[in-house]
Amino acid sequence: MAWIGTLILFVVMVLIVVPFYNRKLFDSLSSLSKGKLSRIDGVLLWIVSSLLFIGVWAFFSDLEPEGVNKIPSPLQTLSAGWRLLTSGKLLSEAMVSCLRIVVGFVTASLVGVSVGLIAGSFLIANRIIQPINSFLRYIPPTAFISLLIVYFGVGETYKYAVIFFGVIFFIIQMVIDVVEDIDRRYVEMALTTGYSNWRVFKEVILPASLPRVFDVLRINLSASWTFLVAAELIGAQSGLGHLIAMSQRYLRIDELYVGILSFGLIGVITDRGLELASRSLFRWYYLSLKQ
Amino acid sequence: MVLPELKTVAMAIIQLDNVTFSYGENEIVKDVSFSIDMPQIVSIMGPSGCGKSTLLHLLSGLELPQAGKCLFEGKILDRPSSNLRYSFQNFDSFPWRTVRENLLLGGATSGDSQEVFNIDELICMVGLEGHEGKYPSELSGGMRKRLALGRCLAAKPWVILLDEPFSSLDVDARQEMYALLQHLWDEWKCVFIIVTHDVHEAIILSERVVVSKPLPFRVNDIIDISFSYPRDDTLINTREYLLYASKLRLLF
């Protein structure tokens, strides 16, 4: 019976229409109304968004009869999640995956941001690095997997390497673009202040690009989870990807859903954490965006 | 570097000899010659897009002429100098630095021997007390211009180049800035070179006005404004003001 999903969707519609009926919210462009919502409206819309997701999910889960093809309901998935959580399995698998992300992604970030900043700032470095990076960036990262298994086996190093090679070429290119986007007049302003090239890099290019480099890292962090799963599906004995593979093998569909949704949950938490960190580290940037 | 002597010695601090500059095929500055003595406030006027900002780039050492010479202190200007500061039209401070940090960075010089303003003294001079910890985007338009002037002045330079410094301000804020600029100039007798479209601004602020013809930049005429400093809006009612204004308007 699809009545639960339908009921939730109905509630969502009521929640959307009633409070915002007279506020012309739907007439305004999202870019103009951004940031102008009250806190209560913001919370209400967050509830609407969550209920919409659960409602659509519940609706489709009720369409199929019981069986392997049935999408587990939100409640069944929650119960499976609770089971995995209390047994400690979910947390331990998530910790293993997070550690792999930390090692692979942080290494890629350190190397990628450094190379990107240098290639974006200095012409000779740019002409040497950019052609190689553009070539490597067009090779699908998953094509490296077989090669990496040959070199590293299927141990931990291989998983770090998959994440590393999955994101590094994109980080380099995106950081180069960020540096090239810095208004030239800031550099000229520094040069007329008598700065050396090194000081221009340190005092202008670095601080001017850091907020957007942070955004680059946020985007690539989400991509690094894709490569983690690709790595964990082959030869892993632990991790969320392994949990998904095992759930699929033993047809524990509800646990499979828990594994998949865990990525989303971890992603939302880390992304929000990074956004808050960015807002506190680069207050000047968000102030200048408001102008 | 003996800065105090500059207050008394009159010399051509900047000299342009038949300066020509092109971007590719487009001639932007053509055969420009004039000199600027120390201390002086000079305005550069001309129709929109006539090459005024490019001329400031040449005067700052950011661009080099393809023909002719730009001399600063009698030497060919082939790179930016910490004795010559430039405030760009809409980029007058570093947004990631607070007011105090911007002024401190403004005082950074290429040579240790160069004298710089005490930062607290400078903050008082440009009227930014109480705003030291703010970012430029937290300041009003007028305050940002004060910061720009302070940043340029921090290293006690001999020449300050201002590209349309007050164009975004309302009338009241402009009046304040005119008074501040004259006060700063009186305190530190350097050279201000101001690119402006505003005839009133040119008359109120400058001793000389260099007027250009349409692109490429060519000197049409150089007008000496003989009012004494400090000047304010009361000049508008004088016959001389009207004569200068009509002469300048006729020239471009």
Side-chain angles (χ1 to χ4, degrees):
Chain A
M1 285 188 295
W3 67 272
I4 297 174
T6 314
L7 183 69
I8 294 174
L9 288 175
F10 177 75
V11 171
V12 167
M13 290 309 293
V14 171
L15 277 172
I16 293 173
V17 172
V18 173
F20 297 111
Y21 182 70
N22 285 323
R23 299 191 203 179
K24 295 188 176 176
L25 195 75
F26 297 105
D27 296 338
S28 59
L29 291 167
S30 64
S31 58
L32 292 177
S33 60
K34 203 174 181 180
K36 287 182 184 169
L37 289 176
S38 71
R39 187 170 280 272
I40 294 167
D41 285 348
V43 171
L44 198 64
L45 286 172
W46 184 83
I47 293 169
V48 165
S49 168
S50 309
L51 283 179
L52 187 70
F53 177 74
I54 295 166
V56 171
W57 179 5
F59 181 82
F60 282 103
S61 83
D62 286 345
L63 286 180
E64 280 286 332
E66 289 294 329
V68 178
N69 287 338
K70 180 176 164 37
I71 299 171
S73 72
L75 215 59
Q76 283 171 321
T77 311
L78 197 68
S79 139
W82 181 249
R83 198 172 59 238
L84 284 171
L85 197 68
T86 47
S87 70
K89 192 173 167 55
L90 186 63
L91 268 183
S92 66
E93 302 289 22
M95 286 298 284
V96 169
S97 289
C98 285
L99 184 70
R100 286 171 184 154
I101 286 286
V102 168
V103 176
F105 180 71
V106 169
T107 317
S109 301
L110 287 174
V111 178
V113 170
S114 308
V115 172
L117 285 172
I118 291 167
S121 310
F122 302 103
L123 195 63
I124 293 173
N126 184 295
R127 294 295 185 270
I128 295 169
I129 292 165
Q130 196 142 12
I132 303 168
N133 192 64
S134 299
F135 171 73
L136 292 171
R137 192 163 46 88
Y138 274 97
I139 300 173
T142 41
F144 286 110
I145 287 179
S146 307
L147 196 68
L148 295 172
I149 291 174
V150 171
Y151 287 119
F152 301 114
V154 288
E156 288 302 294
T157 318
Y158 147 76
K159 293 172 189 77
Y160 303 149
V162 171
I163 298 166
F164 181 88
F165 287 108
V167 293
I168 189 162
F169 305 120
F170 292 91
I171 292 178
I172 291 173
Q173 185 57 51
M174 288 162 93
V175 172
I176 290 174
D177 291 344
V178 165
V179 175
E180 287 179 346
D181 259 6
I182 296 173
D183 201 296
R184 196 181 146 71
R185 278 167 287 192
Y186 288 127
V187 175
E188 289 178 339
M189 210 157 81
L191 288 173
T192 56
T193 310
Y195 285 8
S196 62
N197 282 349
W198 167 244
R199 247 191 121 182
V200 170
F201 178 75
K202 196 164 70 97
E203 307 271 11
V204 178
I205 292 173
L206 207 56
S209 55
L210 276 182
R212 288 186 57 207
V213 166
F214 220 78
D215 288 341
V216 165
L217 294 184
R218 273 174 68 194
I219 294 163
N220 280 282
L221 178 62
S222 59
S224 68
W225 284 96
T226 310
F227 300 111
L228 173 80
V229 174
E232 285 182 343
L233 286 176
I234 302 166
Q237 301 302 313
S238 57
L240 285 172
H242 171 70
L243 175 76
I244 289 171
M246 288 302 108
S247 304
Q248 182 228 344
R249 187 173 299 168
Y250 298 111
L251 294 177
R252 292 193 293 256
I253 307 300
D254 50 356
E255 288 186 10
L256 202 151
Y257 269 75
V258 171
I260 292 170
L261 292 176
S262 300
F263 288 119
L265 195 66
I266 295 169
V268 165
I269 293 167
T270 49
D271 194 68
R272 184 75 184 134
L274 284 175
E275 194 196 340
L276 287 174
S278 173
R279 282 185 182 276
S280 115
L281 285 170
F282 311 116
R283 196 168 71 88
W284 67 267
Y285 178 68
Y286 293 93
L287 282 169
S288 56
L289 282 184
K290 280 185 187 169
Q291 286 199 323
Chain B
M1 222 166 280
V2 192
L3 286 162
E5 285 178 16
L6 280 161
K7 293 189 177 188
T8 52
V9 177
M11 56 180 278
I13 188 87
I14 282 183
Q15 191 172 336
L16 303 185
D17 286 337
N18 305 106
V19 168
T20 297
F21 181 82
S22 308
Y23 282 121
E25 296 291 303
N26 300 325
E27 208 164 39
I28 312 291
V29 176
K30 189 178 180 185
D31 210 19
V32 171
S33 300
F34 64 86
S35 63
I36 296 172
D37 294 337
M38 186 95 179
Q40 221 172 38
I41 304 180
V42 177
S43 287
I44 296 174
M45 299 190 77
S48 290
C50 75
K52 301 186 291 291
S53 295
T54 306
L55 187 77
L56 277 201
H57 266 58
L58 290 162
L59 288 171
S60 70
L62 283 170
E63 301 279 5
L64 300 179
Q66 277 115 13
K69 285 184 291 186
C70 266
L71 300 174
F72 176 59
E73 308 171 64
K75 293 175 201 151
I76 288 183
L77 185 64
D78 55 0
R79 72 188 69 178
S81 157
S82 54
N83 260 325
L84 207 151
R85 293 290 158 104
Y86 190 169
S87 172
F88 294 82
Q89 194 176 348
N90 293 316
F91 291 79
D92 39 28
S93 52
F94 296 115
W96 52 90
R97 301 276 180 193
T98 62
V99 166
R100 177 175 278 274
E101 289 167 344
N102 260 293
L103 294 174
L104 278 169
L105 284 176
T109 61
S110 50
D112 294 337
S113 57
Q114 192 167 335
E115 199 184 337
V116 296
F117 270 109
N118 171 285
I119 195 77
D120 294 314
E121 188 190 341
L122 187 64
I123 287 169
C124 287
M125 268 174 77
V126 293
L128 285 170
E129 307 97 318
H131 301 281
E132 298 91 330
K134 288 183 180 171
Y135 286 108
S137 48
E138 294 177 286
L139 301 175
S140 66
M143 288 290 180
R144 288 185 69 156
K145 296 300 172 191
R146 285 171 185 271
L147 174 59
L149 282 177
R151 202 185 60 76
C152 286
L153 205 67
K156 295 191 173 177
W158 298 357
V159 177
I160 295 177
L161 310 167
L162 304 170
D163 193 356
E164 299 197 34
F166 313 126
S167 57
S168 58
L169 301 182
D170 59 41
V171 177
D172 290 340
R174 278 184 189 218
Q175 307 279 15
E176 275 181 35
M177 294 310 297
Y178 296 159
L180 175 68
L181 193 130
Q182 290 178 68
H183 167 70
L184 294 175
W185 183 70
D186 191 47
E187 289 275 314
W188 184 252
K189 294 276 188 193
C190 56
V191 169
F192 278 104
I193 302 176
I194 305 166
V195 161
T196 181
H197 278 111
D198 190 332
V199 169
H200 174 66
E201 189 167 292
I203 299 171
I204 286 286
L205 292 178
S206 22
E207 280 183 287
R208 299 177 78 199
V209 184
V210 179
V211 187
S212 165
K213 293 175 184 172
L215 192 74
F217 191 103
R218 287 155 294 162
V219 176
N220 192 359
D221 203 353
I222 297 176
I223 312 286
D224 289 314
I225 312 281
S226 59
F227 294 122
S228 61
Y229 289 103
R231 301 173 185 173
D232 58 31
D233 274 6
T234 53
L235 288 178
I236 295 172
N237 302 319
T238 63
R239 184 174 166 274
E240 289 84 352
Y241 178 94
L242 293 172
L243 283 172
Y244 285 131
S246 57
K247 194 169 183 182
L248 285 170
R249 285 197 182 97
L250 277 174
L251 282 169
F252 80 98

